[in-house]
């Protein structure tokens, strides 16, 4: 049980890092360049910026590289093995999932920062795994087994909530979700 939890966490670290880092260093030009969709609402909204996207992905890659280094140095063969591909695909997928969610959120008429339960928590998991399915399915099926997936689905909303409350208290996030 503990090893499943540890493996699930180890797999997800590169996907968990980008969102808080984007919240910390985001700002500037929005990814949608301020444009509206045909419904007259923003394509993605003011909360999705290039700086957040780039910093978030780079931070995820950096932490993933550290994980590869740690596992190699200490011989942690009991953990899922990250690769050059996995530490790029997971953070990129996490933030693409976040942007995809914002696109749908705007279409539903929800304003920037408004809460959308379930989607707000699982966007990164869906984005990361869909991108992994496209570019490296064998890695996905090797490490994300059913028990691991179930643990990820339980762990993610808990960590998401905890990190957002910390971000809210520190004044980084405007809402505690
Ligand atoms: N952020 C960013 N660029 C991104 C993702 C996030 O700059 N690609 C920053 C923004 O400052 C954003 C904050 O991180 O406000 C929190 O992210 P998130 O909660 O995903 O965005 P929201 O502002 O809540 O917008 P939305 O309603 O579209 O989810
Ligand atoms: Mg939000």
């Amino acid at each position: 049980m503990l090893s499943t939890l540890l493996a699930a966490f180890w797999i997800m670290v590169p996907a968990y890092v980008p969102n808080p880092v984007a919240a910390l260093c985001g700002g500037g030009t929005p990814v949608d360049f301020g444009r509206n969709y045909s419904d007259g609402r923003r394509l993605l909204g003011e909360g999705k910026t290039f700086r957040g996207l780039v910093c978030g992905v780079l931070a995820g890659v950096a932490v993933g590289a550290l994980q590869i280094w740690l596992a190699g140095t200490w011989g942690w063969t009991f953990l899922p093995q990250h690769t050059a591909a996995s530490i790029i695909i997971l953070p990129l997928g996490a933030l693409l999932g976040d942007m995809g969610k914002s696109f749908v959120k705007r279409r539903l008429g929800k304003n920037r920062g408004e809460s959308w339960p379930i989607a707000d928590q699982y966007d990164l998991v869906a984005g990361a795994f869909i991108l992994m399915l496209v570019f490296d399915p064998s890695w996905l099926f090797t490490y994300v087994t059913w028990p691991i997936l179930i643990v990820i689905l339980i762990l993610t909303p808990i960590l998401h909530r905890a990190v957002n409350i910390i971000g809210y208290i520190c004044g980084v996030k405007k809402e505690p979700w």
Side-chain angles (χ1 to χ4, degrees), residues 51-88:
R51 208 162 72 208
L53 182 62
V54 172
C55 293
V57 172
L58 288 180
V61 173
V63 173
L66 184 69
Q67 287 179 278
I68 293 178
W69 180 80
L70 279 173
T73 303
W74 297 98
W76 290 344
T77 46
F78 58 94
L79 287 170
Q81 300 291 300
H82 276 295
T83 62
S86 78
I87 65 167
I88 295 170

Side-chain angles (χ1 to χ4, degrees), residues 79-154:
L79 287 170
Q81 300 291 300
H82 276 295
T83 62
S86 78
I87 65 167
I88 295 170
I89 293 167
L90 292 172
L92 188 62
L95 287 188
L96 288 178
D98 177 55
M99 289 196 293
K101 174 209 65 183
S102 289
F103 177 80
V104 179
K105 219 168 157 178
R106 298 297 92 81
R107 305 291 71 77
L108 295 174
K110 291 183 188 294
N111 291 322
R112 173 199 179 174
E114 210 173 300
S115 118
W116 186 18
I118 301 185
D120 277 333
Q121 285 82 40
Y122 290 118
D123 55 355
L124 71 107
V125 180
F129 289 172
I130 289 171
L131 207 65
M132 203 53 138
L133 191 63
V134 173
F135 289 105
D136 198 349
S138 69
W139 190 94
L140 187 69
F141 294 124
T142 300
Y143 295 119
V144 186
T145 56
W146 285 110
I148 296 273
L149 182 64
I150 291 164
V151 171
I152 289 171
L153 294 180
I154 297 168

Side-chain angles (χ1 to χ4, degrees), residues 25-34 42 45-52:
C25 71
T29 312
V31 175
D32 65 8
F33 292 103
R42 283 288 290 274
E46 208 59 24
K48 306 296 125 159
T49 67
F50 283 105
R51 208 162 72 208

